[in-house]
């Protein structure tokens, strides 16, 4: 088997949303970077997972890093520069391509890809950043508490690449590097006895109890046409499937309210006071573009109906992982087929055969996103772990979230846990605008490994509010900046946190980058 080698200052395994932000931060600080990615699209949940940004209500004013804001403005510029927009849209400062109900800048994944590639382009063209696609980590070499190298395997031909560097960042969505380097980590749901969290599980921890993952897809609608897909192999199973805690079959317009668990009746298209799934995560609103350019809106399907929780894909056998991934794909295709053929309509008819799977939007032959949308990763055993007690308004009251002297960023989202592989229903509870403590980015033992995605020191509960797009970006950006700072100062990450003057110097560097460390 042919093996090659490559070296850089900073090795980033996983070109997720956080991985891209980490690469930008390290490269802008003058470091060389190798950024590796399993799929052929960089960007993670923004692109290969086809998830429009989930953000907090103040995102246009504050609450994200300058680089993330530049990404968002890059998306707006991409459409304004390249598409014939109506004047009302072209001159809208806060232009929202999809006018989705849950995102102030919902957009196509391929638009996000174009913007991310443009942001990295100066460093890719100069040779400071090398992007290696179609590879996954399969082995690692460590020396005591230090990672020496990571071996990656090319998906197409099985050849291997070994990368070495001073710092290794795990920016994979599942924390794939952690077991390879022997890092201490946690999966699934911790027990209340361990964390003291009000919403943690009673009794022993449940390491295989992880949030649902989802194969998203994009579709449009052409009334009067028939775009019905081939009947999925597992359609009969999914047509009959109903979880104990679900009010109706999975393939229906009913699901539980995430917050109250009471049944909610959805509608596909706007219909009275029912929640419209079409508008929920719409990624292109054709009414904003020149008439005739688009035959239909385009919407992204990341709904309760195609959440998959029949089993986890982390720390299971390869066969079990493949089985769950395939079943999740079959669920999403079955949802589409059900909508095309059997879904009840307000006019009394059944099915919307005009729903068309937009394979081009996600860049795949099967029409499903290149990668599953992962909500919950392996999480490092960290110097500091963020608990529900630090961010819960029920516990904190009027004092706001716990403040951290070692803050490396901020974020906000409610604690949003989807049904889990342990057979548990939604946990959807309020949280407070929070900070990201540096201690949550520091593994308890390894000295040159940093998390740069959803794999920081949170719990099953607090992962529910630390996993969204702007927070993941901030985590990645802080990790990339930290690796560069440590190289410049000749220190290790733990020493940055332990010495006040050094910590303040690093925080000044973050602020200079446009990272907000506290809420106004």
């Amino acid at each position: 088997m042919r093996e090659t080698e490559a070296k850089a200052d900073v090795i980033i395994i996983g070109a997720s949303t956080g991985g891209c932000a980490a690469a930008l931060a390290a490269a802008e600080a003058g470091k060389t970077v190798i950024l590796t990615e399993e799929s052929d699209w960089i960007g993670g949940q923004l692109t290969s997972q086809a998830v429009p940004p989930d953000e907090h209500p103040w995102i246009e004013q504050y609450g994200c890093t300058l680089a993330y804001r530049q990404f968002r403005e890059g998306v707006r510029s991409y459409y304004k520069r390249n598409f014939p927009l109506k004047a009302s849209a072209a001159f809208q400062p806060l232009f929202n391509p999809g006018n989705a109900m849950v995102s102030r800048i919902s957009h196509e994944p391929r638009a996000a890809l174009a913007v991310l590639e443009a942001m990295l382009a100066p460093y890719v063209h100069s040779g400071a950043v090398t992007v290696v696609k179609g590879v996954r980590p399969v082995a690692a070499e460590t020396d005591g508490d230090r990672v020496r190298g990571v071996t990656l395997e090319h998906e197409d031909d099985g050849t291997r690449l070994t990368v070495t560097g001073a710092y290794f960042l795990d920016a994979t969505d599942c924390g794939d590097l952690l077991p390879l380097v022997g890092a201490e980590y946690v999966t699934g749901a911790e027990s209340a006895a361990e964390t003291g969290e009000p919403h943690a599980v009673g009794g022993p921890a449940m390491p295989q109890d992880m949030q649902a993952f989802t194969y998203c897809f994009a579709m449009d609608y052409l009334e009067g046409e028939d775009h019905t897909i081939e009947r999925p192999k597992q359609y009969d199973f999914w047509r009959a499937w109903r979880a104990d805690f679900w009010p109706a079959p999975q393939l229906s317009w009913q699901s539980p309210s995430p917050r109250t668990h009471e049944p909610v009746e959805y509608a596909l298209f706007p219909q009275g006071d029912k929640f419209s799934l079409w508008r929920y995560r719409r990624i292109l609103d054709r009414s904003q573009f020149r008439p005739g350019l688009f035959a239909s809106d385009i919407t992204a399907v990341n709904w309760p109906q195609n959440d998959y929780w029949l089993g986890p894909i982390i720390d299971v056998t390869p066969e079990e992982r493949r089985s769950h991934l395939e079943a999740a794909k079959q669920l999403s295709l079955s949802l589409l087929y059900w909508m095309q053929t059997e879904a009840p309509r307000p006019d009394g008819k059944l099915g919307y055969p005009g729903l068309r799977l937009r394979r081009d939007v996600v860049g795949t032959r099967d029409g499903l996103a290149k990668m599953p949308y992962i909500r919950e990763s392996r999480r490092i055993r960290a110097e500091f772990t963020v608990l529900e007690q630090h961010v819960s308004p029920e516990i904190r009251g009027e004092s706001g979230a716990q403040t951290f002297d070692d803050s490396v960023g901020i974020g906000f989202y409610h604690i949003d846990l989807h049904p889990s592989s342990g057979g548990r229903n939604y946990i959807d509870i309020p949280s407070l605008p929070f900070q990201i403590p540096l201690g949550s980015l520091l593994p308890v033992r390894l000295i040159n490994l940093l998390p740069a995605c959803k794999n920081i020191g949170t719990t099953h509960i607090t992962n529910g509010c630390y996993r969204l797009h702007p927070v993941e970006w901030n985590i990645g950006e802080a990790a990339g900046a930290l690796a560069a700072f440590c190289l410049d100062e000749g220190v290790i990450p733990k020493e940055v946190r332990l010495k006040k003057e050094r910590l303040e110097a690093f925080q000044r560097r973050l602020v200079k980058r446009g990272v907000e460390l506290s809420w106004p």
Side-chain angles (χ1 to χ4, degrees), residues 75-99:
V75 169
R76 291 185 168 126
S77 176
Y78 177 81
Y79 283 96
K80 291 182 177 183
R81 189 175 64 248
N82 297 311
F83 290 72
L85 295 169
K86 290 181 179 177
S88 57
F91 295 104
Q92 171 57 255
L94 303 182
F95 173 60
N96 185 347
N99 274 333

Side-chain angles (χ1 to χ4, degrees), residues 115-378:
V115 174
L116 288 170
E117 288 182 333
M119 292 177 77
L120 282 167
Y123 308 103
V124 172
H125 286 234
S126 71
V129 173
T130 301
V131 181
V132 185
K133 301 173 185 174
V135 294
R136 59 184 182 87
V138 293
E141 180 188 352
T142 59
D143 180 7
D145 296 338
R146 187 178 290 274
V147 182
R148 293 297 183 188
V150 173
T151 298
L152 303 124
E153 186 172 273
H154 287 269
E155 295 282 340
D156 55 356
D157 60 9
T159 58
R160 293 192 167 190
L161 167 67
T162 297
V163 289
T164 56
Y167 281 90
F168 293 81
L169 276 55
D170 184 343
T172 62
D173 278 276
C174 291
D176 293 331
L177 193 55
L178 303 183
L180 295 179
V181 300
E184 292 77 8
Y185 66 88
V186 183
T187 63
E190 296 91 345
S191 70
E194 178 186 355
T195 67
E197 294 172 303
H199 288 88
V201 297
M206 299 171 65
Q208 289 299 96
D209 182 51
M210 302 177 207
Q211 284 195 69
F213 66 92
T214 307
Y215 265 105
C216 305
F217 60 92
M219 63 182 186
D220 59 10
Y221 181 66
L222 304 174
E223 179 66 50
E225 298 187 13
D226 188 348
H227 294 278
T228 305
I229 63 170
E230 184 179 343
R231 184 185 178 97
K233 294 176 183 177
Q234 296 181 17
Y235 182 66
D236 289 340
F237 172 84
W238 289 112
R239 186 174 180 270
W241 167 252
R242 176 181 176 178
D244 294 341
F245 53 82
W246 218 250
Q250 183 98 357
L251 302 186
S252 73
W253 295 132
Q254 275 198 4
S255 67
S257 161
R259 191 149 286 189
T260 68
H261 297 173
E262 293 297 313
V264 174
E265 183 82 26
Y266 293 101
L268 179 57
F269 299 112
Q271 179 188 337
D273 60 356
K274 291 182 180 178
F275 187 95
S276 167
L277 290 167
W278 185 264
R279 290 185 56 208
Y280 180 33
R281 296 185 186 276
R282 183 173 55 188
I283 54 178
L284 189 136
D285 177 1
R286 68 168 176 159
S287 70
Q288 302 188 98
F289 297 80
R290 185 185 68 202
L293 179 64
F294 291 101
S296 165
D297 296 347
I298 303 173
T299 196
V301 179
N302 174 23
W303 301 347
Q305 289 88 338
N306 64 325
D307 273 0
Y308 180 88
W309 62 80
L310 270 63
I313 56 172
I314 292 173
D315 289 354
V316 296
T317 65
E319 294 75 23
E320 189 175 349
R321 185 175 191 274
R322 283 193 293 268
S323 175
H324 288 311
L325 289 171
E326 177 58 27
K329 287 186 173 186
Q330 285 288 309
L331 170 57
S332 287
L333 292 171
S334 294
L335 172 60
L336 174 60
Y337 185 79
W338 174 81
M339 288 192 290
Q340 291 172 325
T341 61
E342 296 191 82
R345 298 168 48 134
D347 60 9
K349 298 178 182 179
L350 295 179
Y352 297 86
L355 291 173
R356 179 173 61 168
L357 186 61
R358 288 297 299 268
R359 296 171 174 85
D360 56 323
V361 172
V362 296
T364 61
R365 286 182 293 176
D366 65 8
L368 302 176
K370 291 174 180 287
M371 304 294 284
Y373 173 36
I374 303 296
R375 295 182 177 87
E376 187 169 338
S377 172
R378 298 175 180 90

Side-chain angles (χ1 to χ4, degrees), residues 18 21-26 65 67 169 406-410 436-438 440-442 450-452 456 470-486 493 496 506 509-510 513 515-517:
L24 277 169
T65 76
L169 276 55
D406 63 343
S407 172
V408 292
I410 59 175
I436 305 166
L438 176 58
S440 68
L441 272 67
L442 303 180
L450 295 170
I456 65 168
V471 184
E472 183 188 324
W473 182 292
N474 194 149
I475 290 166
E477 186 170 346
L482 179 59
F485 179 83
C486 289
V496 176
F506 175 55
R509 183 179 287 200
L510 290 176
R513 281 194 56 80
V515 176
E516 298 174 18
L517 302 185

